[in-house]
Amino acid sequence: ILLILTDGKIHDASQLGAARAVLDGQGVETFGVVLRRFATHTQTDIDAEQVLSTIVSEPREDHYMNIPLDDFSESVLKDFCNPNSKFGKIILAYQGATGAGHVPCG
């Protein structure tokens, strides 16, 4: 499991296709979070989300979030292994499907 965090422009976007191929080859479940400074979305936040969504696992809409920085602990970390949260349901399914004892839940 890989959790990618960004607070703005992703500078190495041209390398994401190759990185995605390596991650797929290794069976890595990839999540992404754009951390905004403000409650509203800026163009930088929207651009970062579009780039980040190309490297997260499928289905992409379930593997990334665009949230205010102040919500990170509550929205992501606290519920990372909660089967009712956006990321938690996927992580627990991944753990069950792979039998991986090294994932953060369990």
Side-chain angles (χ1 to χ4, degrees), residues 16-29:
L16 294 182
R20 179 74 258 158
V22 170
L23 293 168
D24 285 342
Q26 295 177 353
V28 176
E29 194 77 18

Side-chain angles (χ1 to χ4, degrees), residues 3-40:
L3 178 61
I4 301 170
L5 307 174
T6 184
D7 63 351
K9 184 174 171 88
I10 298 173
H11 298 282
D12 53 358
S14 64
Q15 299 174 12
L16 294 182
R20 179 74 258 158
V22 170
L23 293 168
D24 285 342
Q26 295 177 353
V28 176
E29 194 77 18
T30 308
F31 297 87
V33 179
V34 175
L35 299 171
R36 300 189 315 264
R37 291 187 329 159
F38 307 106
T40 59

Side-chain angles (χ1 to χ4, degrees), residues 49-63:
E49 182 178 313
Q50 289 174 343
V51 173
L52 187 61
S53 69
T54 65
I55 196 169
V56 298
S57 298
E58 295 284 346
R60 296 191 195 290
E61 62 276 358
D62 291 339
H63 283 78

